[in-house]
Amino acid sequence: MAVEIPTDREVFTTTVKVRFYELDPYDHVNHTNYFSYFETARIEYLGEMGWGLDMLKEQGWQLVVVEITARFLVAARLGDELTIHTWVADVGRVKSTWKQVIYRGDQEVAHATVTAAFTDLAGRPRRVPEEFTHLP
Amino acid sequence: MAVEIPTDREVFTTTVKVRFYELDPYDHVNHTNYFSYFETARIEYLGEMGWGLDMLKEQGWQLVVVEITARFLVAARLGDELTIHTWVADVGRVKSTWKQVIYRGDQEVAHATVTAAFTDLAGRPRRVPEEFTHLP
Amino acid sequence: MAVEIPTDREVFTTTVKVRFYELDPYDHVNHTNYFSYFETARIEYLGEMGWGLDMLKEQGWQLVVVEITARFLVAARLGDELTIHTWVADVGRVKSTWKQVIYRGDQEVAHATVTAAFTDLAGRPRRVPEEFTHLP
Amino acid sequence: MAVEIPTDREVFTTTVKVRFYELDPYDHVNHTNYFSYFETARIEYLGEMGWGLDMLKEQGWQLVVVEITARFLVAARLGDELTIHTWVADVGRVKSTWKQVIYRGDQEVAHATVTAAFTDLAGRPRRVPEEFTHLP
């Protein structure tokens, strides 16, 4: 069930710290927040590649999430520092597939597969940028 | 401590229903969500006045919150249907003062005074629209 | 790609209205919020079945999300009133599978398949309640 | 308008990094998120004092926000690393007054005054713990 982090391609790593308002009445992180953690990591990765939000909007790009499958293994708690590993697994003409896994120390907390499409600002499909196809 | 709803001016009323993820480990609505409820009501009111988001952005307006004072009287719980009353208490050259009160049935839950400034999209102060000055 | 709402079993229907703070810089609902909408609907459904949050916690139950697959078809916008249909597709010894679909009018916005496990408050698997097995 | 950080008492300092989903259609942090940042800092400070969430709940304490006044000076943006300074300004029999200020580098972004009451888990006022009265 554990997700293997690939060694043959670029993997972007960042961290998030759990905040109090992300907890629910069961005293753990409400599962909906993991989708925000995953997104935060993808956006940071894009920024590091040179596709910051301002540049994307100026040049008329958005990266729209089409499908997500996420699996939750253990519950994160207040103050946990989580590490998120993100990589691009596959790139097509418009769509790209991202893999992400969240750890707390050496324990896997959750993982996700995200399909995202490049579109223009009106949401019409737009061909994946050339630089992007070299990633996986 | 209760806030009086004025009878001599327009008061906009809307409702929100508490959602599970807004609860915190104490099983009540985390107080930070009331600011989202207040904002939701102000934005709906602006929309009803003809200042929908698309129109505001096209014409280069934003209504920026400068200051908020909020008081919390009782805790809202899962499934509560809350009623929010909103009115404009005062309008200056750039700033406007809004009053808002949240009820659950006939019980006051929270109230707020919000100072907001009209600005352009870069955040520079912009004179309050003429129609707006007739509100209070 | 559209999800068929079943006619041979109970389907729970509720609505949510998009709030301003759920929008992202692309002026549509950030995709992470759909997971909150889905959750809100499941929790309301549980409440209607007699498993309100207070009762669940008192009796030592939680319904933990193990896996979600969600697909996003169109972008929801400010003020949209969304209708969420929810049904239980399958029930095992510990896990249950839920299907959910979100509409705006007669247009499908998103759908999800959610696997959830009944556990005790410490997160240990607990056999699905008898009443629950009659649902699908 | 700037808030002075006191030098004659304990000041707790922590950081938060702005996340994509906290941005609104104006490409800056929606103001409601600052209340979450403020709360996160207070909770971390309590944890450092020895009042972690588990301990508070076990011993039947909650720290309920009664009133907040917040002022917003500049808009934070994606990726900004914000520093939050928090101190206890005053302690009464049940209520305490907290001051908080958020900086981006050496620029003040926002500040708040928060009145919070210690209560039991049912929300009934409870006398401030002895250790707490030594803070300011």
Side-chain angles (χ1 to χ4, degrees), chain A residues 40-76:
Chain A
T40 295
R42 292 194 307 274
I43 297 278
E44 280 189 23
Y45 188 12
L46 281 171
E48 215 185 52
M49 290 186 214
W51 287 305
L53 178 61
D54 292 344
M55 184 276 221
L56 285 173
K57 289 188 75 168
E58 256 168 53
Q59 301 199 1
W61 289 103
Q62 53 178 326
L63 186 60
V64 174
V65 174
V66 174
E67 189 170 324
I68 295 188
T69 297
R71 192 163 174 91
F72 307 101
L73 287 80
V74 298

Side-chain angles (χ1 to χ4, degrees), chain D:
Chain D
M1 209 150 55
V3 161
E4 199 103 0
I5 299 170
T7 53
D8 62 342
R9 64 188 66 194
E10 192 179 298
V11 175
F12 173 77
T13 300
T14 190
T15 58
V16 292
K17 196 163 56 176
V18 170
R19 301 177 184 167
F20 179 75
Y21 66 91
E22 297 171 338
L23 304 180
D24 71 19
Y26 289 105
D27 292 3
H28 56 228
V29 172
N30 184 273
H31 80 283
T32 62
N33 293 286
Y34 295 104
F35 296 101
S36 305
Y37 299 162
F38 286 129
E39 181 191 59
T40 295
R42 294 193 307 274
I43 297 279
E44 281 189 21
Y45 188 12
L46 281 171
E48 215 185 50
M49 290 186 213
W51 287 304
L53 178 61
D54 291 344
M55 184 277 222
L56 285 173
K57 288 188 73 167
E58 257 167 51
Q59 301 197 0
W61 290 103
Q62 51 179 328
L63 186 61
V64 173
V65 173
V66 175
E67 189 169 324
I68 295 187
T69 296
R71 193 165 174 89
F72 307 101
L73 286 80
V74 297
R77 298 195 161 263
L78 184 59
D80 280 353
E81 176 114 0
L82 305 175
T83 303
I84 313 172
H85 303 286
T86 301
W87 62 97
V88 177
D90 193 47
V91 175
R93 280 177 56 92
V94 168
K95 290 185 189 171
S96 49
T97 306
W98 304 60
K99 297 269 188 186
Q100 303 189 269
V101 55
I102 299 179
Y103 278 86
R104 178 180 53 194
D106 56 6
Q107 184 179 37
E108 186 180 329
V109 170
H111 61 250
T113 302
V114 180
T115 308
F118 279 100
T119 73
D120 64 17
L121 296 186
R124 283 178 299 246
R126 218 181 132 175
R127 193 152 186 177
V128 166
E130 173 66 16
E131 307 88 310
F132 207 82
T133 59
H134 302 149
L135 277 178

Side-chain angles (χ1 to χ4, degrees), chain A residues 20-39:
Chain A
F20 179 74
Y21 65 91
E22 297 171 339
L23 304 180
D24 71 20
Y26 289 104
D27 291 3
H28 57 228
V29 172
N30 186 273
H31 79 284
T32 62
N33 293 288
Y34 294 104
F35 297 100
S36 305
Y37 299 162
F38 286 129
E39 181 189 60

Side-chain angles (χ1 to χ4, degrees), chain A residues 28 30-32 34-35 70-74, chain C residues 35 39 42 62-69 98 113-119:
Chain A
H28 57 228
N30 186 273
H31 79 284
T32 62
Y34 294 104
F35 297 100
R71 192 163 174 91
F72 307 101
L73 287 80
V74 298
Chain C
F35 297 101
E39 181 189 60
R42 291 194 308 273
Q62 53 178 327
L63 186 61
V64 174
V65 174
V66 174
E67 188 170 324
I68 294 189
T69 297
W98 303 60
T113 301
V114 180
T115 306
F118 279 100
T119 74

Side-chain angles (χ1 to χ4, degrees), chain A:
Chain A
M1 208 148 60
V3 161
E4 198 103 359
I5 299 171
T7 54
D8 62 342
R9 64 189 63 197
E10 193 178 298
V11 174
F12 174 77
T13 299
T14 190
T15 58
V16 293
K17 196 164 55 175
V18 170
R19 301 176 183 166
F20 179 74
Y21 65 91
E22 297 171 339
L23 304 180
D24 71 20
Y26 289 104
D27 291 3
H28 57 228
V29 172
N30 186 273
H31 79 284
T32 62
N33 293 288
Y34 294 104
F35 297 100
S36 305
Y37 299 162
F38 286 129
E39 181 189 60
T40 295
R42 292 194 307 274
I43 297 278
E44 280 189 23
Y45 188 12
L46 281 171
E48 215 185 52
M49 290 186 214
W51 287 305
L53 178 61
D54 292 344
M55 184 276 221
L56 285 173
K57 289 188 75 168
E58 256 168 53
Q59 301 199 1
W61 289 103
Q62 53 178 326
L63 186 60
V64 174
V65 174
V66 174
E67 189 170 324
I68 295 188
T69 297
R71 192 163 174 91
F72 307 101
L73 287 80
V74 298
R77 299 194 161 264
L78 185 60
D80 281 352
E81 176 114 0
L82 305 175
T83 304
I84 312 173
H85 303 287
T86 301
W87 63 98
V88 178
D90 193 48
V91 174
R93 280 176 57 91
V94 169
K95 290 184 187 170
S96 49
T97 307
W98 304 60
K99 297 270 188 185
Q100 303 190 270
V101 54
I102 300 179
Y103 279 86
R104 178 179 53 195
D106 55 7
Q107 183 179 39
E108 187 179 328
V109 169
H111 60 251
T113 301
V114 180
T115 307
F118 279 100
T119 74
D120 64 17
L121 296 185
R124 282 177 300 247
R126 217 182 134 175
R127 195 154 184 175
V128 166
E130 174 65 16
E131 307 88 311
F132 207 81
T133 59
H134 301 148
L135 276 179

